[in-house]
Amino acid sequence: MRKIAIYDSFTEPKHRRLIDETAARAGFTVDYYAAPAAVPADKRGDYEVIYGMPKPGELKDFVNLKWFCGSFAGVDAYLDDSLYPSPEVMLSNSSGAYGTTISEHLIMVCLMLLRRQMEYTEIIHAGGWETLPGGIRSLHGACITVLGTGDIGTEFARRAQAFHPACITGVRRTVRSSDPAFTSIHAIAELDSVLPETDLLVMALPSTAETVGILSRERIALLPDSAFVVNVGRGTAIDQEALCDALNAGQLAGAALDVVVPEPLPADHPLRRAKNLLLTPHVAGNMTLGYTCDKSVQMFCDDLENYAAGRPLAHLVDRKRGY
């Protein structure tokens, strides 16, 4: 019997029923392993399919592996062909399951920055009750730049449009038709010309060779002093030292980071003390929202039916491109 191994850290009975029923129709049986526990080494050769997030170093032992489906959107840790028993092993991800939860996180932190919520919280905790001088700002009329127009960037743009911004400019690897939530689309080669007109820069990029360090010290300097930076993609996309310097010098109005390097951030790291920086410990996504779990499982089951029928996987990752 063909077998599937599930690295299980989030499923509920309803998810397991759906997986089991889909697998049975496709001619598979399923074994569940409660993550972070690993599949025992002597059983790894039994499995043709894996769903979940095993440690990358374990994959080589699955000698009969044909398809690995990551339950996360970002699978940059799994791109190296040498991790697999064969370069022919297919990799897919759960990109498309996280747009709802991460876009809601983006809306939350953008409003917190614009409406100065962190400053008001500090005042209240200190026993004060005063109104800050200078007022607050709004998504209404803002010039928003979204760096990365995949599922997460697009879902954010759709929600942000409800606040009536002046524009939402999408920046991506290549220019092509996109969701109507974007006012315009620019190639990354045009990023330097877009940044000076940006009130709010939202970053939702995968980790690839092209995206590492994309928001450099020089590009941070192109942003207006009144601009905000928000990153939910990968911490490697930002020169963190330069961002910290700009915040502390008042060369940026504020920032919100859900992803940093390294994770977890050391207790004495300078980012923890940067001015007007909202830090969250990589919680915008994960499997904390029930809808995300439902969607990821459904995507895996849909592709399991594709796989069993010999059809292309809908969520196949190109390991050379990284997404």
Side-chain angles (χ1 to χ4, degrees):
M1 192 70 168
R2 302 165 79 183
K3 300 186 75 173
I4 299 169
I6 308 290
Y7 279 73
D8 186 17
S9 60
F10 62 88
T11 66
E12 299 176 9
K14 64 178 181 178
H15 300 132
R16 291 190 286 273
R17 283 195 299 272
L18 178 59
I19 292 170
D20 291 344
E21 290 168 1
T22 306
R25 289 196 304 271
F28 285 85
T29 59
V30 184
D31 292 328
Y32 294 85
Y33 296 90
V39 175
D42 62 348
K43 292 188 176 181
R44 294 176 186 174
D46 296 346
Y47 298 104
E48 181 177 338
V49 176
I50 296 173
Y51 172 51
M53 298 302 288
K55 293 179 181 177
E58 297 173 11
L59 291 171
K60 196 81 169 179
D61 297 334
F62 289 82
V63 293
N64 292 307
L65 184 65
K66 299 294 188 296
W67 169 35
F68 164 45
C69 175
S71 55
F72 292 173
V75 288
D76 39 291
Y78 300 90
L79 298 177
D80 191 337
D81 280 347
S82 68
L83 294 172
Y84 299 88
S86 164
E88 303 304 314
V89 174
M90 294 184 292
L91 170 65
S92 68
N93 65 3
S94 293
S95 179
Y98 293 88
T100 293
T101 188
I102 297 180
S103 62
E104 289 182 1
H105 176 92
L106 284 167
I107 293 293
M108 174 188 74
V109 297
C110 288
L111 290 174
M112 287 180 70
L113 290 169
L114 289 162
R115 301 183 70 87
R116 305 175 71 178
Q117 181 60 47
M118 290 184 296
E119 295 172 82
Y120 275 113
T121 298
E122 288 183 6
I123 289 171
I124 298 302
H125 283 175
W129 198 258
E130 65 267 27
T131 299
L132 288 164
I136 59 174
R137 293 164 61 189
S138 177
L139 284 171
H140 182 96
C143 292
I144 302 172
T145 297
V146 180
L147 183 50
T149 62
D151 172 57
I152 293 166
T154 298
E155 290 293 335
F156 166 74
R158 290 171 179 168
R159 287 158 175 77
Q161 280 291 3
F163 293 87
H164 307 291
C167 62
I168 302 181
T169 301
V171 181
R172 50 171 294 131
R173 189 172 60 89
T174 58
V175 176
R176 67 181 188 192
S177 60
S178 65
D179 193 278
F182 293 103
T183 310
S184 62
I185 294 289
H186 294 261
I188 285 178
E190 302 172 85
L191 179 59
D192 289 1
S193 65
V194 172
L195 291 176
E197 307 301 321
T198 298
D199 295 316
L200 178 63
L201 175 63
V202 172
M203 302 177 64
L205 292 165
S207 180
T208 68
E210 291 77 20
T211 63
V212 171
I214 192 169
L215 192 64
S216 61
R217 185 176 292 273
E218 293 74 19
R219 282 180 167 148
I220 290 171
L222 293 175
L223 288 162
D225 292 354
S226 57
F228 296 96
V229 173
V230 180
N231 187 19
V232 293
R234 284 293 184 265
T236 53
I238 296 180
D239 181 334
Q240 292 182 162
E241 182 179 354
L243 179 70
C244 195
D245 290 345
L247 289 168
N248 291 334
Q251 294 166 352
L252 284 175
L257 305 179
D258 188 56
V259 286
V260 293
V261 179
E263 292 182 11
L265 201 63
D268 60 349
H269 197 283
L271 278 177
R272 291 182 181 265
R273 300 184 299 278
K275 291 182 180 178
N276 209 26
L277 175 59
L278 174 57
L279 285 171
T280 47
H282 207 148
V283 294
N286 295 323
M287 288 294 187
T288 52
L289 183 68
Y291 171 81
T292 305
C293 302
D294 296 347
K295 182 72 170 177
S296 177
V297 169
Q298 186 62 61
M299 290 166 64
F300 169 67
C301 289
D302 290 346
D303 257 350
L304 180 55
E305 292 185 343
N306 289 332
Y307 177 77
R311 297 187 297 265
L313 299 180
H315 307 288
L316 187 67
V317 172
D318 183 331
R319 286 204 284 271
K320 290 184 173 58
R321 290 196 305 175
Y323 54 92

